[in-house]
Amino acid sequence: MSKTMAIVGTDAIAEAMRQIDPEVVAAYPITPQTAIVEKFSEYVADGLVNTQMVKVESEHSAMSACVGAAAAGGRVMTATSSQGLALMWEILYVASGLRLPIVLVNVNRTLSAPINIHCDHSDSMGARDASWIQIYSENAQEAYHNVLQAVRIAEHPEVRLPVMVNLDGFIISHAVDRIDILDDAPVREFIGEYSPAYPLLDVANPVSVGMFDGLYGYFFEAKRAQEASMEKAMYVIQQVGEEFGQRFGRPYGLWEEYGLEDARACVVALNSACGTIRTVIEAMRQEGKKIGLLKLRVFRPWPGQELVRVLQHFPVVAVFDRALAFKGGHGGPLYTEVAASLYEAEKRPLLANYVYGLGGRDLSVSMVRQALEEIWQAAEAGRVASRVNYLGLRE
Amino acid sequence: MKWDIDDVQKWPWHKHPPGLVNPDTGNSVQFNTGSWRSRRPALDLDKCSQCLVCYIYCPETSIQVQDRKVTGIDYDHCKGCGICAEECPRQAIALEDEAVQAG
Ligand code: SF4
Ligand code: SF4
């Protein structure tokens, strides 16, 4: 049912794209994403896919070409990172506003300046309000699975929103890992045929797309509808994740739990840091320090109510952020979201925020250990010593 | 018309097609872009050589043509951009101020 390969993360994504065989891929190279599109363009050249590969002069054009191709009715994909995502910004909103189910793989890299090519989540976090579904992946295996599921989620008739699958730059994208690549046939059966709602190329049923709204004014209504589809996406993501599990033996939900049943403190984090955090938690649990990990997979839609139901039972919740929101010392974007949702909880846990890994700064086991010891002490003392903390910063 | 939008201004948010796609055709005639106009192209048929350059260039299809001959301008849709006047090789189209026209 699958073959095991030792490949880098970007190759795993290219494999997913080969299996999806999208009608159009439009992309521009940017480190660390480049290897994905490089590999995929080999597949195009070798005739392994039927994809029309559009080579453009910038990411702004890449996303614009994706919008055009998706409006035409094609299954469309692209990949980018960092400045590339930033340059797509304007068109990200066009893609979601026109309800085009484009799948974008974002290899997380920080935003300049100072110029830096390494991992943090400032790129995708900046795009969090663009009405794109955002899915995060701890490792290349998950990223591969998430890309396959993203197609189904985006194209679901009740969703019809673009999906961004995130994985950590270099740490995951450029590390060789053991990956199980599923067989083509069952993957293609899972993904299925795409039937676009109003394809421009359906010449028997002509439509207008992207019309000016300024005089009659239905913009507000369109945005409200987008919000409702984001809400629906919460359920569709879970359905698709369950079906993926039934077919391929590994189900996916909104998040993954480790040790939450008996934990007195819970860590919430995204992407590859979860591996390091889990390792430290494992060691601490053997010493009787019962900490748990909630590895968040879905950041948009934001599973606020669902998270509150789980998080409100912990005396302490610590959120790890690989980005800043620059609110002036009030913590990172993930922390802000968790804190806002917990306002509605019957019992509000104590909260702490750990900002780490900006610009690719390593997150070592000892750093996580230091943070988790503090969290454990907070659980014991019933008091958080410091709300916003910077892990691995030279102080 | 296959899409009944008479009461579209009263539609609740969930009734519109996703992304405000318009699944109907031939309805831009209902949109009077002529109301945007501040300058009015005036056609002088005595100077016109019937080259049809204005017809090709007009972004609002407002140059009226019958039997391959320019007959006039559709002021319900002409937005007064002046492209026809600019492109006419015979200076047969002159832009006049709407306010002056209105007196
Ligand atoms: S002014 Fe512009 S819109 Fe009016 S007829 Fe000339 S080209 Fe067409
Ligand atoms: S461009 Fe001038 S000369 Fe040619 S058809 Fe139009 S008005 Fe006549």
Side-chain angles (χ1 to χ4, degrees):
Chain A
M1 186 108 157
S2 69
K3 63 172 182 283
T4 304
M5 299 166 87
I7 50 176
V8 292
T10 51
D11 282 356
I13 302 296
E15 271 296 298
M17 291 174 73
R18 182 188 61 73
Q19 294 179 314
I20 293 164
D21 194 359
E23 261 119 7
V24 174
V25 168
Y28 189 80
I30 183 164
T31 299
Q33 171 280 123
T34 309
I36 294 176
V37 183
E38 234 168 49
K39 188 74 179 177
F40 185 73
S41 57
E42 277 174 36
Y43 295 155
V44 175
D46 293 347
L48 298 180
V49 288
N50 302 304
T51 306
Q52 182 77 38
M53 182 98 193
V54 189
K55 292 166 205 134
V56 287
E57 77 284 10
S58 77
E59 285 85 356
H60 189 279
S61 308
M63 187 44 67
S64 299
C66 286
V67 163
R75 187 173 261 165
V76 179
M77 294 185 76
T78 186
T80 194
S81 289
S82 179
Q83 312 302 125
L85 187 65
L87 192 49
M88 286 181 178
W89 223 259
E90 181 187 3
I91 315 301
L92 290 180
Y93 286 79
V94 178
S96 55
L98 294 179
R99 313 299 304 275
L100 301 172
I102 297 162
V103 172
L104 180 157
V105 180
N106 182 53
V107 183
N108 287 111
R109 164 186 153 182
T110 194
L111 291 168
S112 294
I115 193 160
N116 178 308
I117 58 166
H118 295 285
C119 175
D120 72 33
H121 302 157
S122 2
D123 51 2
S124 54
M125 284 297 154
R128 69 191 172 167
D129 298 338
S131 184
W132 278 63
I133 290 166
Q134 286 198 9
I135 298 179
Y136 287 80
S137 329
E138 180 184 338
N139 49 43
Q141 184 71 64
E142 285 186 10
Y144 165 71
H145 287 164
N146 283 338
V147 171
L148 300 179
Q149 291 171 67
V151 178
R152 284 280 305 275
I153 296 162
E155 291 173 2
H156 192 284
E158 298 208 74
V159 177
R160 293 196 196 283
L161 284 170
V163 178
M164 184 186 301
V165 174
N166 294 283
L167 62 147
D168 281 348
F170 293 108
I171 303 162
I172 300 303
S173 68
H174 284 59
V176 175
D177 210 344
R178 175 196 182 283
I179 318 272
D180 291 330
I181 298 294
L182 299 162
D183 290 344
D184 290 357
V187 165
R188 291 194 173 138
E189 200 187 294
F190 168 75
I191 293 166
E193 292 281 315
Y194 171 40
S195 63
Y198 297 101
L200 279 172
L201 284 182
D202 179 2
V203 289
N205 297 292
V207 295
S208 304
V209 171
M211 293 176 304
F212 177 55
D213 177 61
L215 297 176
Y216 296 121
Y218 307 112
F219 185 89
F220 203 165
E221 283 69 28
K223 292 297 133 178
R224 176 65 185 88
Q226 243 170 278
E227 183 80 325
S229 296
M230 247 323 163
E231 230 174 298
K232 292 259 173 61
M234 194 81 73
Y235 301 101
V236 170
I237 290 167
Q238 293 174 83
Q239 276 168 17
V240 171
E242 243 169 67
E243 189 193 322
F244 190 87
Q246 280 155 12
R247 282 175 187 258
F248 303 114
R250 179 163 175 176
Y252 283 83
L254 300 172
W255 61 73
E256 195 182 88
E257 299 179 2
Y258 174 69
L260 291 195
E261 355 31 89
D262 58 352
R264 295 189 53 210
C266 176
V267 177
V268 180
L270 295 166
N271 275 9
S272 69
C274 292
T276 316
I277 295 168
R278 198 185 296 104
T279 302
V280 174
I281 288 180
E282 221 170 314
M284 287 178 68
R285 290 180 70 86
Q286 280 176 10
E287 299 162 18
K289 296 172 179 163
K290 298 275 168 49
I291 297 178
L293 170 68
L294 189 149
K295 177 179 83 184
L296 193 60
R297 174 175 177 247
V298 179
F299 182 74
R300 281 290 181 276
W302 173 250
Q305 284 169 354
E306 292 85 346
L307 279 171
V308 166
R309 278 201 287 278
V310 174
L311 293 180
Q312 66 184 351
H313 302 296
F314 299 104
V316 180
V317 170
V319 181
F320 275 54
D321 258 300
R322 199 164 198 150
L324 280 171
F326 296 107
K327 294 166 72 181
H330 299 286
L334 183 57
Y335 172 77
T336 306
E337 301 274 5
V338 170
S341 292
L342 283 172
Y343 182 78
E344 289 172 33
E346 281 161 37
K347 244 173 59 203
R348 288 189 209 140
L350 296 170
L351 284 175
N353 187 203
Y354 287 88
V355 178
Y356 72 96
L358 299 191
R361 179 67 49 88
D362 250 343
L363 182 71
S364 66
V365 166
S366 62
M367 280 177 210
V368 175
R369 178 84 196 203
Q370 175 206 323
L372 297 204
E373 288 292 351
E374 284 170 17
I375 293 161
W376 183 251
Q377 274 159 29
E380 298 269 274
R383 177 178 165 271
V384 167
S386 162
R387 179 62 61 93
V388 179
N389 309 273
Y390 301 90
L391 265 187
L393 177 74
R394 296 176 202 117
E395 300 196 64
Chain B
M1 224 204 292
K2 48 185 177 171
W3 198 34
D4 181 10
I5 54 164
D6 281 350
D7 58 346
V8 68
Q9 298 192 33
K10 294 196 188 116
W11 283 10
W13 60 266
H14 43 81
K15 195 170 171 184
H16 295 270
L20 298 189
V21 156
N22 183 348
D24 199 4
T25 53
N27 47 22
S28 52
V29 70
Q30 297 168 32
F31 189 48
N32 288 347
T33 41
S35 67
W36 301 359
R37 193 175 58 241
S38 62
R39 291 183 308 162
R40 171 190 294 244
L43 174 67
D44 181 350
L45 281 173
D46 291 340
K47 292 189 191 163
C48 170
S49 68
Q50 295 297 350
C51 69
L52 293 180
V53 161
C54 55
Y55 170 76
I56 292 165
Y57 273 91
C58 174
E60 299 296 336
T61 337
S62 292
I63 303 290
Q64 292 164 324
V65 173
Q66 262 168 23
D67 300 328
R68 302 185 175 205
K69 290 215 184 326
V70 172
T71 56
I73 293 172
D74 165 12
Y75 290 114
D76 282 344
H77 299 97
C78 162
K79 61 187 178 189
C81 67
I83 291 173
C84 53
E86 179 72 24
E87 296 298 334
C88 173
R90 304 287 290 248
Q91 283 81 45
I93 300 176
L95 282 176
E96 295 170 357
D97 200 304
E98 276 294 329
V100 174
Q101 283 279 329

